[in-house]
Amino acid sequence: MSHEIVTALVVFVLASFVGFEVINKVPPTLHTPLMSGSNAISGIAVIGALLVSGSRAWNVTVILGLIAVVLAMVNVVGGFLVTDRMLQMFKKKEVKA
């Protein structure tokens, strides 16, 4: 059990480091498209959280999975709303005649 926790902790630290470096290297004009891409990754988090929380017995894993589903869905919905607003800014405005 402790070997799995150490492995998961190493993966979490490496993913955090890679994410921090990627965000720092991206210019500010590309932050919104990057955020749109991260929405797709949040969809993967939702599926993983659903699989983890699919157990019938209530325990810590189910509660953490439920929290993960809620937070990932907030990220997905918010990201799509911001992306939609950004795309509205690039539409041509109708000329009033």
Side-chain angles (χ1 to χ4, degrees), residues 3 14-16 20 23-24 26 33-34 40 43 49 51 54 62 68-69 78-80:
H3 178 68
L14 289 176
S16 298
F20 181 77
I23 292 296
N24 275 342
V26 172
L34 181 65
L51 290 175
V62 173
V69 167
F80 281 120

Side-chain angles (χ1 to χ4, degrees), residues 8 21-22 24 31 54 56-57 79-80 85 89-90 97:
E21 288 297 319
V22 167
N24 275 342
H31 277 186
R56 294 181 188 265
F80 281 120
R85 184 175 177 194
M89 292 171 38
F90 291 108

Side-chain angles (χ1 to χ4, degrees), residues 23-71:
I23 292 296
N24 275 342
K25 303 293 185 214
V26 172
T29 55
L30 295 178
H31 277 186
T32 302
L34 181 65
M35 187 183 67
S36 296
S38 71
N39 289 335
I41 295 171
S42 290
I44 296 170
V46 169
I47 292 172
L50 286 173
L51 290 175
V52 167
S53 63
S55 172
R56 294 181 188 265
W58 280 91
N59 55 19
V60 176
T61 306
V62 173
I63 294 169
L64 290 177
L66 179 65
I67 292 171
V69 167
V70 170
L71 292 177

Side-chain angles (χ1 to χ4, degrees), residues 17 53 60 65 77 92 97:
F17 178 74
S53 63
V60 176
V77 171
K92 291 183 179 180

